[in-house]
Amino acid sequence: MLEYIWLIPVLPLLSSVVLILSAGKLPGSVVSILGVGSVGLSALLVLSVVSTMLPSVEPYQISYWTWMQVGSFAPRMAFYIDGLSLVMMSVITGVGFLIHLYSSEFMQEDTDFSRYFAYLNMFVAAMLILVMADNLLLLYLGWEGVGVCSYLLVGFWYTNSANGRAARKAFVVTRVGDTAMALGLLLLFTQLGTLDIQPLMQAAELNWAVGSQWPTIAAALLLGGALGKSAQLPLQTWLPDAMAGPTPVSALIHAATMVTAGVYLIARTHGLFLLAPDVLACVALIGLATLLVAAFSALNQNDIKRILAYSTISQIGYMFLALGVGAWSASVFHLMTHAFFKALLFLAAGAVIHCLHHEHDIFKMGGLRSKLPIPFWSFLIGSAALAALPFTSGFYSKDQILMAAWEVPSIGPLLWLGGLLGALITAIYSFRLVFVVFFGDATTEPDRQPGWRMALPLILLCGLSIAGGWIKQPLSSVFPLSVSHHPSLSIEAISVAVPLIGLALAYFLFLGKQLNVSSLVNSSIGQSLHRFWKSGWKMDSLYELLIEKPYQIVTTALKPEWADHFYHALVDLCQQLNRLLSESQTGLIRWNTTGMVVGLIILIAVAGGFV
Amino acid sequence: MSGLTIPLEHVLLLASLLFVCGLVGLMVRRNIIFILMSLEVMLNSAALAFVAAGAHWNQPDGQVIFLLILSVAAAEVSVGLGLVLQIHRRFRTLDMDSANRLRG
Amino acid sequence: MSMIALIGILLGGGLLCCLAERIDKNLPRIIALLVIFIDLLFLLYLISGIPAGQFELIPDASNANSWLMHYKQDWIPRFGISLELALDGLSLILLLLTLVLGIVAVLSSWQEIQFKTGFFQANILWTLAGVLGVFMALDLMLFFLFWEVMLVPMYLLIAIWGHEGKAYASMKFFIFTQVSGLLMLFAILLLVFLNSQATGVLSFSYFDLLNNPIGDPWSTWLMLGFFIAFVVKLPGFPVHTWLPDAHTQAPTAGSVILAGILLKTGAYGLLRFTIPLFPEAAQNFAPVAMCLGAAGIVYGALLAYAQTDFKRLVAYSSVSHMGFVLLGIFAWNELALQGAVMQMVAHGLSTAALFMIAGSLQHRLHTRDMTKMGGLWFNMPRMGACAMFFAIASLGLPGLGNFVAEFLVLLGLFQVSPWLTVIAASALITGAIYSLLLIQRAFQGEPVEGRQLADYDLREMSTMGLMMLGLIWLGLYPQPVLDLAQPVLASLLKLVSVSPSILVGVSP
């Protein structure tokens, strides 16, 4: 079975190539079958691989060809499958298949249906390469590949130039991180002589002391890449704008898979990060800061997709927090459950938007509970999982993270408290969304109901969002075992209680109206805070002021091509000289004769030796 | 050959004087007729020098060259006068300063 | 002899094109296409005659017989000038690139050029002949001759068939190249003179001059003479200013040849002559040269962003990309050199394609101003897809040739100077900024109402497809090119053993 593993990324890639070459000439049904079927086949293959490799996942490595060989630099086209890759592959193909199926209905009226599936399939292929790669360079290929696909899909509706801008922003901001990562790759190869991940980790442990200079720099550079891709502070600004793409794209790329690539990268190279405790602490702090910053922003959005976008940033913050405290498997666990419930939420949001004539503003919705039952239940279950209500999948994963944070010496309780605060706000904003959209007075009338291709993925994801917490991930051979003595029951109890408090608060604020939310917002400080948080802590304006504007000023200032002024000055000098000399050419015969005579006299004098 | 002989130096002096006269005329005159005449004077001064030198060394070469100069002068005059006519027709003047198209 | 025939076919083909125009206006381009194709086949035939093992042998740079092909015939024996041509892996890569892009250039002029078609194609063929000569000549006087041969027809291409500002642009191009060529001529003559004084052998042959005993300060001056000549052509910052003008005003085929091939002669010259002839002087100069390369990368990328003219943007992106070549050459280790060679090929393909797209846009819209474009994807999805592909290639997407090149250069450079690497790597970001801006301005946004434009037809798509395949191949399996260049670079590295480590090094 394992020898066919190359088919897993190649099938979607092939389908993508066929769709691109067909240039939109294939009928919609064929496009759907190709697009959805290829990912479905990949998912089946992954399933069979999983069943072959379980229960004891022995890492499997297969090499196809040497990508390039220059001296000792010889990265290969090779795959490395272990428990971590398997989890990622399952999520990508499994959730990916459901989203593809959903897309086939969601996008069927679009004129560029086949282009959509071409991009989406290409994305799945690139993402699979990313998680299956045996060396960092191939991982980087997948890494950039998903970036480009994300760019293409965010800017999918290209006739609106705002979408194009959002797409470019997404690509360029993540590219900043990617460049740091590329430099990290250069450093790792120069210092350790290989980019193959497993030998690299061994070499790092052998050659570098904990906390020394090189592992710290290398880990920091890789972290830069992870921050960009996973939309963490300070590179998080692109993700809310990336919601300009079609909603299934947001579900697949900007919730379930691509944005968690940073988490995957750090988990994959955890050996290196363990050598750099300072960087690891940074990861935890950045995660904590991001989860709080994004949670406050999510609380203040009106656009249904932007709420979910900020919530994604916030949840990935939890994963980073987990990574930072060394709870690798908890992080990957949350990655998986998050993929389930956030994909569910996005798809449900897509269904709502789809049925409400592309309405995005939650305050223009309301009372949709009975009119759109499937999206309602999906939303309810998804939000419960997002808020980490007991017995949902999100509960188990978030609980693991908070417990791991608590156990960290010295700053542990602080991290725990921050995470708890985040959980409270998460509960408030997720149920704010549910209450505002599905309860209250009906203001809009849906003009259609989701068909089976949209409903089925929702139902399946509902199941996964609830039951996903019981999936046991085969990660024990991947990560070092963390010794955990369980914290006291009271800590555990508080962690359980906080989301419930949040739910209650949301109920009082937005449904029961026992607490007057508008008076809170309308006070002057409330208003400015609301605006501040709504704009994502003004980070966009800050970057515009600090980076975008100066960049434009510099380029505009350079545009006249100052180097050319020097060459033009040379030309001018020549012309001046020419003018000066041409003054001597009077055109008068007398002048010429005199010149000749004087010249002759001088010549004769010189020849005669008089001078 | 006997009788009064003029010393060669005198003739050459005369020739030089004539040449300088012509040259100065060439340099200071603006009328093309005078320029041509100055040229003629210069040519003839050279011719005089040749004749005198030929006589001094009893060689025929001087006279041969004189004949050559004579024909050159004739040719020059004919070309020159043609130019004069053209210039007169073009510029309605014989002032050579007006024909300064070569000015840089 | 066969190598002279390679050049002769093109020269003769040019004459034939001139004559053919009298019969039919459309005939010359068919003839030009055939001539280049025959030349390519001839080259492949010549290579096929070389035993396979020879490609892996490291040629002894000072022994002509170890090269793949070598030909020498007295020309002006009194001055030690001979017709000396030779071929090694590096030249071979560039010859193949030249001929392939030559075909592309002729194809790109198919509809665009309707005026004096015969003379146009003749000029293309003559430029190509000059370039082939430059890549093969190993007698310095012959090299200089070919250097000039490729210049004049190129000048005519811009001056006769260029766009609105062609007089200025062609003159600028001519003067820049000519002045720098003059410097090179001085350097060549002085080198030969000094060498003959020192060794008693008057010869213009590369092999005789390689181990010249000239020391400081002459070697530095001579090296600078060569360096400037080649860096103008490359073009390096700050002598790049002819390039945006020339590119913008040249007809499409001219831009394709300029960007794809002519710029590479500069890089080739640096690699073949400047450093091997004056190893020590070049090494001392390397930090400056590398800083110039890095400056070019940053400057080109910044200026590309500021442009509104499609072609100017691509031209400045060339300045940025060729900075990598300069950096790679002067970093002088195997990784960086391989990267530089790779960049020559990959940049040749990707930029040529972008210029072709610019040309097709100009042909259809009669403007290169991107502010007057927008939404063109709607009208021409096939062209949009091509533009997207090549823009993404030029911003260095892994899996395409440009990434392999840039990554290798950066990897090699990192061992020499990490800080310069950081500066150079900024091109990954700035490159993304301008490439995507190009796509957005031209192809995305609101389409203009009622604009009817012809999308790419089969001929154009197949040309584009050819170059796309080339880039994908280079990106996923660059080994054939690397293998071809490897022995040559190894022999060059042997000539100059120490790599410059004047700047802060990190090697353990």
Side-chain angles (χ1 to χ4, degrees), chain A residues 65 67-69 158-159 164 168 175 179 190 552 555 561 564 567-568, chain C residues 168 172 238 240-241 299 302 316 395 428 440 445-446 475-476 478-479:
Chain A
W65 74 88
W67 189 354
M68 54 185 118
Q69 177 161 23
Y158 58 87
T159 47
R168 279 189 298 136
R175 204 84 205 277
T179 305
T190 309
Q552 267 160 0
T555 49
E561 188 64 279
D564 237 5
Y567 303 120
H568 284 155
Chain C
Y168 173 76
K172 197 170 179 181
H240 63 276
T241 59
Y299 188 82
L302 287 179
Y316 275 110
L395 66 78
L428 294 180
Q440 160 119 47
E446 192 73 28
L476 292 179
Q479 209 56 39

mmCIF file of all heavy atoms in Angstrom, chain A residues 65 67-69 158-159 164 168 175 179 190 552 555 561 564 567-568, chain C residues 168 172 238 240-241 299 302 316 395 428 440 445-446 475-476 478-479:
data_model
loop_
_atom_site.group_PDB
_atom_site.id
_atom_site.type_symbol
_atom_site.label_atom_id
_atom_site.label_comp_id
_atom_site.label_asym_id
_atom_site.label_seq_id
_atom_site.Cartn_x
_atom_site.Cartn_y
_atom_site.Cartn_z
ATOM 1 N N TRP A 65 13.329 11.054 -6.387
ATOM 2 C CA TRP A 65 14.538 11.435 -7.137
ATOM 3 C C TRP A 65 15.235 12.579 -6.408
ATOM 4 O O TRP A 65 14.654 13.200 -5.518
ATOM 5 C CB TRP A 65 14.202 11.802 -8.586
ATOM 6 C CG TRP A 65 13.525 13.121 -8.792
ATOM 7 C CD1 TRP A 65 14.126 14.326 -8.968
ATOM 8 C CD2 TRP A 65 12.118 13.370 -8.880
ATOM 9 N NE1 TRP A 65 13.183 15.304 -9.153
ATOM 10 C CE2 TRP A 65 11.930 14.748 -9.103
ATOM 11 C CE3 TRP A 65 10.975 12.576 -8.784
ATOM 12 C CZ2 TRP A 65 10.679 15.340 -9.230
ATOM 13 C CZ3 TRP A 65 9.727 13.169 -8.913
ATOM 14 C CH2 TRP A 65 9.591 14.516 -9.133
ATOM 15 N N TRP A 67 16.323 16.090 -6.113
ATOM 16 C CA TRP A 67 15.797 17.324 -6.705
ATOM 17 C C TRP A 67 16.925 18.052 -7.431
ATOM 18 O O TRP A 67 16.860 18.324 -8.627
ATOM 19 C CB TRP A 67 15.220 18.184 -5.573
ATOM 20 C CG TRP A 67 14.463 19.379 -6.012
ATOM 21 C CD1 TRP A 67 14.331 19.854 -7.281
ATOM 22 C CD2 TRP A 67 13.708 20.251 -5.169
ATOM 23 N NE1 TRP A 67 13.546 20.970 -7.276
ATOM 24 C CE2 TRP A 67 13.156 21.234 -5.990
ATOM 25 C CE3 TRP A 67 13.465 20.302 -3.803
ATOM 26 C CZ2 TRP A 67 12.357 22.260 -5.488
ATOM 27 C CZ3 TRP A 67 12.676 21.313 -3.306
ATOM 28 C CH2 TRP A 67 12.123 22.278 -4.146
ATOM 29 N N MET A 68 17.974 18.339 -6.680
ATOM 30 C CA MET A 68 19.144 18.959 -7.303
ATOM 31 C C MET A 68 20.337 18.555 -6.479
ATOM 32 O O MET A 68 20.226 18.323 -5.279
ATOM 33 C CB MET A 68 18.999 20.477 -7.326
ATOM 34 C CG MET A 68 18.707 21.089 -5.974
ATOM 35 S SD MET A 68 18.416 22.846 -6.085
ATOM 36 C CE MET A 68 16.738 22.996 -5.503
ATOM 37 N N GLN A 69 21.460 18.425 -7.152
ATOM 38 C CA GLN A 69 22.653 18.069 -6.394
ATOM 39 C C GLN A 69 23.789 18.987 -6.773
ATOM 40 O O GLN A 69 24.223 19.027 -7.920
ATOM 41 C CB GLN A 69 23.055 16.624 -6.655
ATOM 42 C CG GLN A 69 24.336 16.295 -5.914
ATOM 43 C CD GLN A 69 24.540 14.823 -5.753
ATOM 44 O OE1 GLN A 69 23.994 14.043 -6.514
ATOM 45 N NE2 GLN A 69 25.323 14.436 -4.774
ATOM 46 N N TYR A 158 -11.845 38.182 -9.292
ATOM 47 C CA TYR A 158 -10.821 39.183 -9.552
ATOM 48 C C TYR A 158 -11.378 40.515 -10.014
ATOM 49 O O TYR A 158 -10.684 41.512 -9.996
ATOM 50 C CB TYR A 158 -9.850 38.654 -10.610
ATOM 51 C CG TYR A 158 -10.529 38.296 -11.913
ATOM 52 C CD1 TYR A 158 -10.725 39.268 -12.883
ATOM 53 C CD2 TYR A 158 -10.995 37.012 -12.154
ATOM 54 C CE1 TYR A 158 -11.364 38.947 -14.055
ATOM 55 C CE2 TYR A 158 -11.629 36.696 -13.324
ATOM 56 C CZ TYR A 158 -11.827 37.665 -14.272
ATOM 57 O OH TYR A 158 -12.472 37.364 -15.435
ATOM 58 N N THR A 159 -12.647 40.543 -10.440
ATOM 59 C CA THR A 159 -13.140 41.799 -10.997
ATOM 60 C C THR A 159 -13.287 42.878 -9.931
ATOM 61 O O THR A 159 -13.343 44.059 -10.257
ATOM 62 C CB THR A 159 -14.480 41.607 -11.701
ATOM 63 O OG1 THR A 159 -15.325 40.849 -10.846
ATOM 64 C CG2 THR A 159 -14.325 40.878 -13.015
ATOM 65 N N GLY A 164 -8.436 41.605 -5.016
ATOM 66 C CA GLY A 164 -7.049 41.480 -5.464
ATOM 67 C C GLY A 164 -6.103 42.037 -4.420
ATOM 68 O O GLY A 164 -5.044 41.473 -4.143
ATOM 69 N N ARG A 168 -3.210 40.048 -2.447
ATOM 70 C CA ARG A 168 -1.802 40.436 -2.445
ATOM 71 C C ARG A 168 -1.302 40.617 -1.025
ATOM 72 O O ARG A 168 -0.187 40.243 -0.686
ATOM 73 C CB ARG A 168 -1.612 41.727 -3.226
ATOM 74 C CG ARG A 168 -1.554 41.495 -4.722
ATOM 75 C CD ARG A 168 -1.149 42.754 -5.428
ATOM 76 N NE ARG A 168 -2.109 43.822 -5.214
ATOM 77 C CZ ARG A 168 -1.771 45.071 -4.937
ATOM 78 N NH1 ARG A 168 -0.520 45.416 -4.871
ATOM 79 N NH2 ARG A 168 -2.696 45.993 -4.756
ATOM 80 N N ARG A 175 4.750 36.253 2.964
ATOM 81 C CA ARG A 175 6.085 36.146 2.351
ATOM 82 C C ARG A 175 7.162 36.719 3.253
ATOM 83 O O ARG A 175 8.302 36.279 3.237
ATOM 84 C CB ARG A 175 6.095 36.881 1.001
ATOM 85 C CG ARG A 175 7.168 36.389 0.042
ATOM 86 C CD ARG A 175 6.679 35.211 -0.694
ATOM 87 N NE ARG A 175 7.662 34.278 -1.204
ATOM 88 C CZ ARG A 175 8.330 34.399 -2.335
ATOM 89 N NH1 ARG A 175 8.220 35.466 -3.068
ATOM 90 N NH2 ARG A 175 9.123 33.452 -2.753
ATOM 91 N N THR A 179 10.321 34.518 4.061
ATOM 92 C CA THR A 179 11.711 34.902 3.806
ATOM 93 C C THR A 179 12.563 34.600 5.030
ATOM 94 O O THR A 179 13.679 34.086 4.899
ATOM 95 C CB THR A 179 11.773 36.391 3.449
ATOM 96 O OG1 THR A 179 10.895 36.615 2.370
ATOM 97 C CG2 THR A 179 13.161 36.791 3.052
ATOM 98 N N THR A 190 23.959 25.593 6.159
ATOM 99 C CA THR A 190 25.348 26.022 6.267
ATOM 100 C C THR A 190 25.992 25.457 7.527
ATOM 101 O O THR A 190 27.150 25.055 7.520
ATOM 102 C CB THR A 190 25.418 27.556 6.287
ATOM 103 O OG1 THR A 190 24.672 28.043 5.185
ATOM 104 C CG2 THR A 190 26.839 28.040 6.171
ATOM 105 N N GLN A 552 6.176 53.440 -0.326
ATOM 106 C CA GLN A 552 5.722 54.187 -1.496
ATOM 107 C C GLN A 552 6.514 55.468 -1.675
ATOM 108 O O GLN A 552 6.868 55.842 -2.794
ATOM 109 C CB GLN A 552 4.233 54.506 -1.364
ATOM 110 C CG GLN A 552 3.406 53.432 -2.028
ATOM 111 C CD GLN A 552 1.985 53.411 -1.551
ATOM 112 O OE1 GLN A 552 1.599 54.216 -0.716
ATOM 113 N NE2 GLN A 552 1.209 52.505 -2.090
ATOM 114 N N THR A 555 9.977 54.560 -3.079
ATOM 115 C CA THR A 555 9.973 54.154 -4.484
ATOM 116 C C THR A 555 9.643 55.331 -5.390
ATOM 117 O O THR A 555 10.228 55.479 -6.454
ATOM 118 C CB THR A 555 8.972 53.023 -4.729
ATOM 119 O OG1 THR A 555 7.731 53.381 -4.145
ATOM 120 C CG2 THR A 555 9.447 51.734 -4.141
ATOM 121 N N GLU A 561 15.033 57.947 -11.328
ATOM 122 C CA GLU A 561 16.289 57.301 -11.706
ATOM 123 C C GLU A 561 17.459 58.254 -11.571
ATOM 124 O O GLU A 561 17.976 58.806 -12.542
ATOM 125 C CB GLU A 561 16.177 56.776 -13.145
ATOM 126 C CG GLU A 561 17.317 55.917 -13.617
ATOM 127 C CD GLU A 561 17.438 54.618 -12.830
ATOM 128 O OE1 GLU A 561 18.012 54.654 -11.736
ATOM 129 O OE2 GLU A 561 16.961 53.576 -13.321
ATOM 130 N N ASP A 564 20.661 58.155 -13.516
ATOM 131 C CA ASP A 564 20.627 58.704 -14.864
ATOM 132 C C ASP A 564 21.051 60.169 -14.888
ATOM 133 O O ASP A 564 21.576 60.636 -15.889
ATOM 134 C CB ASP A 564 19.220 58.574 -15.432
ATOM 135 C CG ASP A 564 19.223 57.793 -16.719
ATOM 136 O OD1 ASP A 564 20.301 57.297 -17.097
ATOM 137 O OD2 ASP A 564 18.169 57.683 -17.341
ATOM 138 N N TYR A 567 24.569 60.434 -15.766
ATOM 139 C CA TYR A 567 24.880 60.222 -17.184
ATOM 140 C C TYR A 567 24.396 61.386 -18.029
ATOM 141 O O TYR A 567 25.063 61.802 -18.972
ATOM 142 C CB TYR A 567 24.277 58.905 -17.665
ATOM 143 C CG TYR A 567 24.751 57.735 -16.855
ATOM 144 C CD1 TYR A 567 23.865 56.932 -16.160
ATOM 145 C CD2 TYR A 567 26.109 57.462 -16.743
ATOM 146 C CE1 TYR A 567 24.304 55.875 -15.387
ATOM 147 C CE2 TYR A 567 26.564 56.419 -15.971
ATOM 148 C CZ TYR A 567 25.667 55.624 -15.296
ATOM 149 O OH TYR A 567 26.108 54.599 -14.529
ATOM 150 N N HIS A 568 23.250 61.932 -17.647
ATOM 151 C CA HIS A 568 22.773 63.094 -18.384
ATOM 152 C C HIS A 568 23.716 64.270 -18.191
ATOM 153 O O HIS A 568 23.938 65.059 -19.120
ATOM 154 C CB HIS A 568 21.364 63.454 -17.935
ATOM 155 C CG HIS A 568 20.333 62.527 -18.508
ATOM 156 N ND1 HIS A 568 19.118 62.295 -17.924
ATOM 157 C CD2 HIS A 568 20.353 61.764 -19.612
ATOM 158 C CE1 HIS A 568 18.452 61.430 -18.637
ATOM 159 N NE2 HIS A 568 19.173 61.091 -19.673
ATOM 160 N N TYR C 168 16.107 58.031 -28.645
ATOM 161 C CA TYR C 168 16.824 58.203 -27.389
ATOM 162 C C TYR C 168 17.302 56.859 -26.856
ATOM 163 O O TYR C 168 18.465 56.687 -26.499
ATOM 164 C CB TYR C 168 15.902 58.887 -26.382
ATOM 165 C CG TYR C 168 16.443 58.990 -24.989
ATOM 166 C CD1 TYR C 168 17.412 59.928 -24.665
ATOM 167 C CD2 TYR C 168 15.978 58.161 -23.976
ATOM 168 C CE1 TYR C 168 17.912 60.024 -23.386
ATOM 169 C CE2 TYR C 168 16.470 58.249 -22.694
ATOM 170 C CZ TYR C 168 17.437 59.184 -22.401
ATOM 171 O OH TYR C 168 17.930 59.277 -21.129
ATOM 172 N N LYS C 172 21.114 55.574 -26.401
ATOM 173 C CA LYS C 172 21.601 55.331 -25.040
ATOM 174 C C LYS C 172 22.200 53.929 -24.948
ATOM 175 O O LYS C 172 23.293 53.730 -24.411
ATOM 176 C CB LYS C 172 20.438 55.467 -24.071
ATOM 177 C CG LYS C 172 20.824 55.652 -22.629
ATOM 178 C CD LYS C 172 19.587 56.031 -21.826
ATOM 179 C CE LYS C 172 19.899 56.202 -20.360
ATOM 180 N NZ LYS C 172 18.695 56.552 -19.602
ATOM 181 N N PRO C 238 25.395 50.779 -10.656
ATOM 182 C CA PRO C 238 24.477 51.803 -11.150
ATOM 183 C C PRO C 238 24.594 52.063 -12.655
ATOM 184 O O PRO C 238 24.270 53.159 -13.091
ATOM 185 C CB PRO C 238 24.953 53.019 -10.368
ATOM 186 C CG PRO C 238 26.444 52.835 -10.271
ATOM 187 C CD PRO C 238 26.700 51.363 -10.297
ATOM 188 N N HIS C 240 22.949 50.513 -14.970
ATOM 189 C CA HIS C 240 21.850 49.759 -15.561
ATOM 190 C C HIS C 240 20.897 50.648 -16.334
ATOM 191 O O HIS C 240 19.957 50.151 -16.921
ATOM 192 C CB HIS C 240 21.058 49.111 -14.434
ATOM 193 C CG HIS C 240 20.452 50.147 -13.535
ATOM 194 N ND1 HIS C 240 21.162 50.720 -12.509
ATOM 195 C CD2 HIS C 240 19.260 50.758 -13.570
ATOM 196 C CE1 HIS C 240 20.401 51.632 -11.949
ATOM 197 N NE2 HIS C 240 19.255 51.689 -12.553
ATOM 198 N N THR C 241 21.113 51.962 -16.323
ATOM 199 C CA THR C 241 20.013 52.846 -16.729
ATOM 200 C C THR C 241 19.651 52.739 -18.205
ATOM 201 O O THR C 241 18.591 53.175 -18.603
ATOM 202 C CB THR C 241 20.330 54.316 -16.413
ATOM 203 O OG1 THR C 241 21.525 54.655 -17.098
ATOM 204 C CG2 THR C 241 20.517 54.522 -14.944
ATOM 205 N N TYR C 299 17.484 47.793 -5.428
ATOM 206 C CA TYR C 299 17.117 48.963 -6.221
ATOM 207 C C TYR C 299 16.164 48.582 -7.354
ATOM 208 O O TYR C 299 15.132 49.234 -7.570
ATOM 209 C CB TYR C 299 18.400 49.571 -6.790
ATOM 210 C CG TYR C 299 18.220 50.886 -7.486
ATOM 211 C CD1 TYR C 299 18.148 52.062 -6.765
ATOM 212 C CD2 TYR C 299 18.132 50.954 -8.878
ATOM 213 C CE1 TYR C 299 17.992 53.270 -7.399
ATOM 214 C CE2 TYR C 299 17.976 52.157 -9.521
ATOM 215 C CZ TYR C 299 17.918 53.312 -8.772
ATOM 216 O OH TYR C 299 17.755 54.499 -9.409
ATOM 217 N N LEU C 302 12.729 47.901 -5.953
ATOM 218 C CA LEU C 302 12.018 49.105 -5.524
ATOM 219 C C LEU C 302 11.492 49.871 -6.734
ATOM 220 O O LEU C 302 10.345 50.314 -6.769
ATOM 221 C CB LEU C 302 12.946 50.012 -4.713
ATOM 222 C CG LEU C 302 13.292 49.545 -3.301
ATOM 223 C CD1 LEU C 302 14.233 50.518 -2.638
ATOM 224 C CD2 LEU C 302 12.028 49.413 -2.465
ATOM 225 N N TYR C 316 12.932 46.553 -14.917
ATOM 226 C CA TYR C 316 13.559 46.740 -13.607
ATOM 227 C C TYR C 316 13.628 45.437 -12.840
ATOM 228 O O TYR C 316 14.559 45.211 -12.064
ATOM 229 C CB TYR C 316 12.814 47.804 -12.802
ATOM 230 C CG TYR C 316 13.292 49.196 -13.129
ATOM 231 C CD1 TYR C 316 12.500 50.093 -13.816
ATOM 232 C CD2 TYR C 316 14.568 49.594 -12.761
ATOM 233 C CE1 TYR C 316 12.950 51.359 -14.124
ATOM 234 C CE2 TYR C 316 15.033 50.862 -13.060
ATOM 235 C CZ TYR C 316 14.217 51.739 -13.742
ATOM 236 O OH TYR C 316 14.684 52.974 -14.047
ATOM 237 N N LEU C 395 8.629 35.679 -9.125
ATOM 238 C CA LEU C 395 8.761 35.971 -7.698
ATOM 239 C C LEU C 395 9.359 34.796 -6.937
ATOM 240 O O LEU C 395 9.503 34.829 -5.719
ATOM 241 C CB LEU C 395 7.424 36.417 -7.084
ATOM 242 C CG LEU C 395 6.222 35.493 -6.972
ATOM 243 C CD1 LEU C 395 6.362 34.542 -5.820
ATOM 244 C CD2 LEU C 395 4.967 36.303 -6.814
ATOM 245 N N LEU C 428 12.829 38.377 -2.152
ATOM 246 C CA LEU C 428 11.701 37.451 -2.112
ATOM 247 C C LEU C 428 10.417 38.209 -1.774
ATOM 248 O O LEU C 428 9.341 37.886 -2.272
ATOM 249 C CB LEU C 428 11.941 36.367 -1.062
ATOM 250 C CG LEU C 428 13.089 35.393 -1.340
ATOM 251 C CD1 LEU C 428 13.200 34.388 -0.218
ATOM 252 C CD2 LEU C 428 12.867 34.676 -2.651
ATOM 253 N N GLN C 440 -2.214 42.437 -10.780
ATOM 254 C CA GLN C 440 -3.427 43.137 -10.343
ATOM 255 C C GLN C 440 -3.771 44.273 -11.308
ATOM 256 O O GLN C 440 -4.910 44.411 -11.742
ATOM 257 C CB GLN C 440 -3.206 43.706 -8.945
ATOM 258 C CG GLN C 440 -4.182 44.830 -8.606
ATOM 259 C CD GLN C 440 -5.042 44.506 -7.429
ATOM 260 O OE1 GLN C 440 -4.586 44.050 -6.396
ATOM 261 N NE2 GLN C 440 -6.335 44.717 -7.558
ATOM 262 N N GLY C 445 -9.292 43.353 -11.474
ATOM 263 C CA GLY C 445 -10.077 44.569 -11.409
ATOM 264 C C GLY C 445 -11.240 44.530 -12.386
ATOM 265 O O GLY C 445 -11.472 43.541 -13.081
ATOM 266 N N GLU C 446 -11.945 45.647 -12.415
ATOM 267 C CA GLU C 446 -13.152 45.751 -13.226
ATOM 268 C C GLU C 446 -12.794 45.751 -14.719
ATOM 269 O O GLU C 446 -11.994 46.564 -15.152
ATOM 270 C CB GLU C 446 -13.841 47.067 -12.861
ATOM 271 C CG GLU C 446 -15.237 47.227 -13.382
ATOM 272 C CD GLU C 446 -16.229 46.346 -12.643
ATOM 273 O OE1 GLU C 446 -15.998 46.028 -11.450
ATOM 274 O OE2 GLU C 446 -17.225 45.971 -13.273
ATOM 275 N N GLY C 475 12.684 23.653 -12.550
ATOM 276 C CA GLY C 475 12.346 23.771 -11.138
ATOM 277 C C GLY C 475 12.283 22.443 -10.435
ATOM 278 O O GLY C 475 12.563 22.351 -9.243
ATOM 279 N N LEU C 476 11.893 21.394 -11.158
ATOM 280 C CA LEU C 476 11.721 20.103 -10.491
ATOM 281 C C LEU C 476 12.895 19.162 -10.732
ATOM 282 O O LEU C 476 13.172 18.294 -9.929
ATOM 283 C CB LEU C 476 10.427 19.438 -10.968
ATOM 284 C CG LEU C 476 9.163 20.147 -10.512
ATOM 285 C CD1 LEU C 476 7.943 19.432 -11.047
ATOM 286 C CD2 LEU C 476 9.103 20.211 -8.996
ATOM 287 N N PRO C 478 16.440 20.092 -12.145
ATOM 288 C CA PRO C 478 17.451 20.938 -12.804
ATOM 289 C C PRO C 478 18.775 20.213 -13.039
ATOM 290 O O PRO C 478 19.687 20.808 -13.580
ATOM 291 C CB PRO C 478 17.640 22.076 -11.801
ATOM 292 C CG PRO C 478 17.333 21.458 -10.477
ATOM 293 C CD PRO C 478 16.294 20.403 -10.715
ATOM 294 N N GLN C 479 18.825 18.943 -12.655
ATOM 295 C CA GLN C 479 20.107 18.248 -12.650
ATOM 296 C C GLN C 479 20.839 18.273 -14.000
ATOM 297 O O GLN C 479 22.044 18.471 -14.041
ATOM 298 C CB GLN C 479 19.913 16.813 -12.173
ATOM 299 C CG GLN C 479 21.128 16.232 -11.481
ATOM 300 C CD GLN C 479 21.586 17.082 -10.294
ATOM 301 O OE1 GLN C 479 20.763 17.601 -9.563
ATOM 302 N NE2 GLN C 479 22.873 17.270 -10.129
#
